[in-house]
Amino acid sequence: MSAEYDIAETLDVKGASCPMPVVKTKGAIDDLAEGQVLEVLATDPGSMSDIDGWAAGTEGVELLDQAEGDDVYKHYVRRTA
């Protein structure tokens, strides 16, 4: 499934392992304006549950979608506040 969002920024954390994808995602989302979408590209399979859990427990962010393909995990996070 290919997500079609208006991507404000792409964060490449390929090669990084837990907890760096979440740490870097948090830093990048903090730099976005409300309503903007961050695309995160990761190679760590654990990033699927890590980013999902982080977004679920963090006010002001919404996990829109996650996709897996070609050894890259894509996460789409919107800043909501």
Side-chain angles (χ1 to χ4, degrees), residues 32-80:
L32 296 185
E34 184 175 336
Q36 289 188 311
V37 177
L38 174 69
E39 176 184 48
V40 182
L41 306 178
T43 50
D44 179 8
S47 68
M48 295 295 275
S49 60
D50 292 347
I51 290 179
D52 183 25
W54 165 78
T58 303
E59 277 193 45
V61 298
E62 174 190 11
L63 181 61
L64 300 173
D65 195 17
Q66 293 180 306
E68 178 182 345
D70 297 330
D71 298 323
V72 175
Y73 301 90
K74 296 180 181 181
H75 313 274
Y76 298 91
V77 184
R78 175 187 288 138
R79 181 161 183 180
T80 58

Side-chain angles (χ1 to χ4, degrees), residues 3-60:
E4 293 300 321
Y5 299 108
D6 186 12
I7 307 298
E9 188 176 322
T10 297
L11 175 66
D12 185 343
V13 291
K14 296 194 288 281
S17 56
C18 182
M20 290 317 294
V22 169
V23 171
K24 292 189 177 293
T25 298
K26 181 191 182 320
I29 205 87
D30 286 347
D31 291 339
L32 296 185
E34 184 175 336
Q36 289 188 311
V37 177
L38 174 69
E39 176 184 48
V40 182
L41 306 178
T43 50
D44 179 8
S47 68
M48 295 295 275
S49 60
D50 292 347
I51 290 179
D52 183 25
W54 165 78
T58 303
E59 277 193 45

